[in-house]
Amino acid sequence: MTRFRVANSQELGSTRSVRRAFRWSLRLALLVCTVVGGLLISVPRALAQSAAKPVILISVMDGEGHPLAGVTIEGRSGSTLLCKAVTDVHGVATLIACGSAGGLRLSANLEGYVPATISIPLQDREGVSPGTLDRQDQIPVLADLDGRLDISWPNTVALAALAEEMEFEALVPVARWHGFGGATNPQGPGFEAYTWAAGIAASTSKPGVFATSHISLNHPIIAAKQSTVIDHISGGRYTLNIVTGWNQPEIDMFGTVMMSHQDRYACAEEWLAIIKRLWTEDESFDHEGRFYKITKGYLQPKPIQSPHPAVMNAGASERGRHFATKYSDLVFTVIRTGGLDEVRAHVQAYHKLAREEYGREIRVWTVANVVQGETEKEARDFYRYYVHEKGDWQAAKNMIDVFSAEINARDIPPERLKAYQEAFIAGWGGFPLIGTKEQIVDGLRDLSRAGLDGILLVWPRFEQGMREFRDVTYPLVRQAGLREFG
Ligand SMILES: Cc1cc2nc3c(=O)[nH]c(=O)nc-3n(C[C@H](O)[C@H](O)[C@H](O)COP(=O)(O)O)c2cc1C
């Protein structure tokens, strides 16, 4: 069974996309450091050789058990420096992509901190588990339902804390500038994604933190710089989620012109290439392309993650799928219906494209909405209530009108419009998981078996749903072997 590994996936192809979000199933060593400036730790060869490019999570404490920030940990194979990280305020450093056929030796600069305790939990790559994600989202459904969250920072932090409590791997924001009208104006109120990510990075210590960025609304230099700040604040837990934009009223709001679908992806390629150069190149560079002119492009400091943070994209059209599989480490996709075989085929199609066209390994995540009841009937009755009695069908239609007009000119046949509206009202088109807690867990297991690496969860009553999930569902998720933490 494919186990879910989410957001901070540790083995995302060419970029090193790790984050501390991982819990490690194998505790390898607990050492007392007696060496100043050169603590050496060996990492098992099998792990170091792993194609998975392991992520190593290290925590450093002083003799009294207080976390030590600012300790530099370096991983070498022979004299070659493979990875390097600095411990954050929690005393934790994440070493990314330290794989080496020759084994790995770690060193730490511990001057002034002797004795110190260093623990290195390592993750056996088969031993990890389901990823459940949370997402900053003020209204998970398009419905006039009680229990909707007000957009306030305390609420946002409370959700992040809940996610952290359950050891979720990532917190992913929606990038939205304009709501969808109707009676409830879904996704109208909401925080800006980069600043949200910076605040969340500072408020959490373990989950991966994403910013979702519209290419045309965020200049690549600013996107690279802001991303770097968040990577530093989070101690290397950051991932950049790239969206090309499709919401015409949003683009109008900025007074700019919506590019054609093809051009949006051409622009995204140039945008990302500039960002990666800024993240990785020490020398200033000039760039003159179709969309951007950069003179003496410069960025310091570099992100903590080396060579750079991971990238996510949700391209769904043919052009979008090529972009996603060629450039991103994580592909986000919507899977609305279908049996296990269809879901598996959908996921495999992304892997096939990534491998055959671009020689890359990717992770595939999806979204699921959890509607849980004491009985299946109760869950289905509640679904009927919030979708059919309380649903904002006008807002859903507005959204679909904008989406289908802009996304690859995909016309939605009128007979399917209602089904699309329902899907968006129910949970943003996410895979429906409706039933008892056992059925929810079965559904997650099925998605895992179908090859998905991570699931972003939403609930109709977000916070209440999350709390219920923590209290009654999550223990079963763990029992099912979908999450195995050391
Ligand atoms: C799970 C998921 C989350 C997305 N989040 C956003 C978002 O926050 N903002 C946005 O403008 N587009 C978002 N999108 C839209 C995608 O970026 C993309 O435009 C869409 O999947 C259509 O793909 P295409 O551009 O290849 O046609 C999201 C898509 C998915 C599947």
Side-chain angles (χ1 to χ4, degrees):
M1 177 173 82
T2 305
R3 292 200 170 84
F4 285 75
R5 279 174 267 216
V6 190
N8 322 334
S9 215
Q10 80 285 33
E11 44 198 292
L12 302 174
S14 55
T15 33
R16 301 145 191 213
S17 69
V18 186
R19 347 277 123 202
R20 305 209 307 260
F22 279 106
R23 306 296 175 274
W24 312 90
S25 57
L26 171 63
R27 280 203 163 275
L28 250 206
L30 190 68
L31 310 174
V32 175
C33 174
T34 55
V35 181
V36 175
L39 176 75
L40 293 177
I41 304 151
S42 288
V43 174
R45 181 172 287 257
L47 190 88
Q49 284 175 335
S50 157
K53 294 193 173 176
V55 173
I56 301 174
L57 187 84
I58 295 188
S59 70
V60 184
M61 319 241 218
D62 68 16
E64 292 169 3
H66 302 304
L68 282 180
V71 177
T72 302
I73 312 276
E74 293 185 346
R76 290 177 192 273
S77 175
S79 59
T80 311
L81 180 67
L82 294 176
C83 47
K84 183 172 169 176
V86 179
T87 57
D88 63 10
V89 288
H90 306 284
V92 176
T94 306
L95 290 166
I96 299 155
C98 291
S100 159
L104 187 71
R105 282 161 70 80
L106 301 179
S107 63
N109 70 324
L110 280 162
E111 286 95 336
Y113 289 116
V114 179
T117 305
I118 302 196
S119 63
I120 318 165
L122 291 174
Q123 182 179 32
D124 153 15
R125 67 184 292 228
E126 290 310 315
V128 248
S129 45
T132 35
L133 311 174
D134 181 27
R135 156 191 219 185
Q136 174 227 14
D137 200 347
Q138 85 286 15
I139 310 170
V141 289
L142 285 70
D144 187 13
L145 185 66
D146 60 294
R148 286 164 40 175
L149 284 173
D150 285 336
I151 297 296
S152 72
W153 194 247
N155 280 345
T156 305
V157 172
L159 289 183
L162 268 174
E164 193 154 39
E165 225 181 299
M166 284 185 273
E167 304 180 308
F168 282 13
E169 278 78 7
L171 297 147
V172 184
V174 175
R176 190 87 299 135
W177 305 91
H178 204 293
F180 295 104
T184 60
N185 193 27
Q187 290 195 347
F191 291 125
E192 188 280 323
Y194 282 103
T195 41
W196 173 89
I200 286 296
S203 312
T204 56
S205 58
K206 294 198 178 83
V209 179
F210 287 50
T212 301
S213 183
H214 283 100
I215 48 146
S216 60
L217 305 179
N218 296 279
H219 190 280
I221 296 177
I222 298 185
K225 191 87 170 167
Q226 291 178 162
S227 294
T228 301
V229 178
I230 302 164
D231 203 39
H232 279 253
I233 295 172
S234 64
R237 289 180 285 136
Y238 175 71
T239 294
L240 174 61
N241 179 23
I242 300 171
V243 294
T244 48
W246 52 270
N247 191 343
Q248 183 74 56
E250 281 183 342
I251 305 298
D252 291 347
M253 190 167 112
F254 283 80
T256 57
V257 176
M258 175 81 89
M259 289 181 270
S260 72
H261 187 266
Q262 289 292 320
D263 277 357
R264 294 203 290 269
Y265 278 101
C267 181
E269 288 185 334
E270 203 177 317
W271 187 85
L272 183 59
I274 293 167
I275 290 178
K276 285 188 177 172
R277 291 192 70 179
L278 288 164
W279 277 346
T280 56
E281 293 185 17
D282 286 326
E283 298 294 319
S284 299
F285 64 89
D286 293 339
H287 167 94
E288 184 137 13
R290 196 174 144 211
F291 301 94
Y292 299 102
K293 179 172 164 33
I294 310 283
T295 306
K296 295 192 177 12
Y298 162 88
L299 184 130
Q300 287 292 347
K302 299 300 184 198
I304 286 191
Q305 294 175 84
S306 171
H308 56 72
V311 170
M312 177 158 92
N313 176 257
S317 60
E318 200 47 28
R319 182 70 180 89
R321 286 160 54 81
H322 277 270
F323 177 84
T325 49
K326 185 170 180 183
Y327 296 106
S328 64
D329 307 295
L330 304 165
V331 173
F332 219 168
T333 182
V334 167
I335 302 172
R336 173 66 191 158
T337 50
L340 266 189
D341 289 343
E342 275 172 78
V343 175
R344 188 176 290 111
H346 181 93
V347 173
Q348 283 312 317
Y350 276 104
H351 286 299
K352 189 170 185 303
L353 187 63
R355 283 182 192 134
E356 292 182 3
E357 292 274 333
Y358 305 112
R360 303 185 70 241
E361 290 300 321
I362 52 165
R363 295 272 155 195
V364 182
W365 300 353
T366 196
V367 189
N369 63 305
V370 176
V371 185
Q372 190 173 306
E374 282 296 314
T375 60
E376 184 180 337
K377 180 176 180 314
E378 187 185 298
R380 294 205 176 277
D381 284 349
F382 177 57
Y383 176 92
R384 227 178 339 270
Y385 167 73
Y386 84 80
V387 173
H388 294 285
E389 288 183 37
K390 294 288 186 181
D392 190 340
W393 289 75
Q394 183 58 49
K397 181 168 183 318
N398 295 345
M399 179 175 164
I400 289 163
D401 284 348
V402 175
F403 191 75
S404 54
E406 267 310 319
I407 291 290
N408 226 8
R410 281 179 217 146
D411 284 333
I412 297 177
E415 67 276 11
R416 291 179 62 193
L417 179 63
K418 198 153 186 296
Y420 274 98
Q421 280 174 289
E422 179 168 339
F424 279 108
I425 292 169
W428 295 106
F431 192 91
L433 293 173
I434 305 170
T436 61
K437 55 183 186 298
E438 289 83 6
Q439 288 171 311
I440 303 294
V441 176
D442 287 348
L444 287 172
R445 190 196 286 114
D446 286 348
L447 291 173
S448 172
R449 284 185 174 143
L452 282 152
D453 299 298
I455 312 288
L456 185 150
L457 297 176
V458 295
W459 294 266
R461 290 181 172 121
F462 207 103
E463 187 174 353
Q464 183 185 322
M466 235 178 138
R467 287 191 192 284
E468 185 183 22
F469 190 84
R470 176 195 60 189
D471 295 339
V472 306
T473 320
Y474 190 64
L476 299 184
V477 175
R478 295 191 67 160
Q479 271 174 33
L482 289 168
R483 294 177 76 78
E484 294 162 3
F485 302 143

